[in-house]
Amino acid sequence: MLTNMQKALGTSDTAMQPTPQETEAPSVPRQKTDTKPGAGKRARAKKAPAVQDGKAAKETASKKPTALPQEAAAKATGPTLVELVRRHLADQSEPRSATEIATTLSQAHPDRTIKTTVVRTTLENLVAKSHVQRTKQGSSVYYTATETPAPTDAAESPTSVQPETY
């Protein structure tokens, strides 16, 4: 097949055969010339999405997370979830579950979306910081506020005492 193609192209067989100098080349491994790490690696370029009637631009724009202006304003001016959970537990006289806390906070703050899993994570973080106590009753977990809540702001904290150096 190759010879038929060579004949069709009009090349001669002698031109394609290697010269004796090429066949007698010493077999020495090629030396690396660049010493920078990763210099020999190729960088793979990212493919641009194919544009069909502007659909690709709309799809990539819709994938970006965007916050509603109302939610952004509520988050900027309102208290954090940690503060809401701590206040709620401080107001309660008996232990509450994460579901009860999430339900109460959702009703008290309808402009915010408060999920039970996020409240549970927040409670566990507060337990780790000793701001909240956890008690188990069977398979249920209940949370109560500790007696002395730690200050959340530097302005609320008492003057700090520097340790003496000897």
Side-chain angles (χ1 to χ4, degrees), residues 13-87:
D13 291 336
T14 58
M16 298 304 286
Q17 292 182 1
T19 60
Q21 294 170 350
E22 290 177 356
T23 57
E24 295 176 8
S27 61
V28 178
R30 187 176 66 148
Q31 299 295 319
K32 188 174 181 180
T33 57
D34 196 1
T35 58
K36 293 180 184 177
K41 295 181 181 178
R42 292 184 183 178
R44 191 176 287 198
K46 291 184 179 180
K47 289 184 178 181
V51 178
Q52 296 176 348
D53 301 330
K55 290 181 182 178
K58 290 179 186 176
E59 289 176 6
T60 56
S62 65
K63 289 181 182 178
K64 293 179 183 177
T66 56
L68 297 174
Q70 298 164 350
E71 291 177 10
K75 288 182 181 179
T77 59
T80 64
L81 183 62
V82 174
E83 292 170 353
L84 290 175
V85 168
R86 290 176 77 187
R87 284 184 205 159

Side-chain angles (χ1 to χ4, degrees), residues 68 70-85 87 102-115 118-119 122:
L68 297 174
Q70 298 164 350
E71 291 177 10
K75 288 182 181 179
T77 59
T80 64
L81 183 62
V82 174
E83 292 170 353
L84 290 175
V85 168
R87 284 184 205 159
T103 304
T104 306
L105 291 178
S106 294
Q107 291 171 354
H109 302 278
D111 56 326
R112 297 178 70 154
T113 53
I114 299 174
K115 296 184 179 182
V118 177
V119 171
T122 303

Side-chain angles (χ1 to χ4, degrees), residues 88-146:
H88 177 73
L89 284 176
D91 293 343
Q92 302 302 314
S93 60
E94 54 189 43
R96 300 284 179 200
S97 69
T99 307
E100 293 170 341
I101 295 169
T103 304
T104 306
L105 291 178
S106 294
Q107 291 171 354
H109 302 278
D111 56 326
R112 297 178 70 154
T113 53
I114 299 174
K115 296 184 179 182
T116 306
T117 54
V118 177
V119 171
R120 187 175 293 117
T121 303
T122 303
L123 287 165
E124 289 300 323
N125 289 337
L126 289 170
V127 167
K129 295 177 184 177
S130 299
H131 297 259
V132 172
Q133 292 179 344
R134 173 184 27 188
T135 56
K136 280 192 171 184
Q137 295 177 0
S139 62
S140 302
V141 179
Y142 295 97
Y143 300 93
T144 55
T146 57

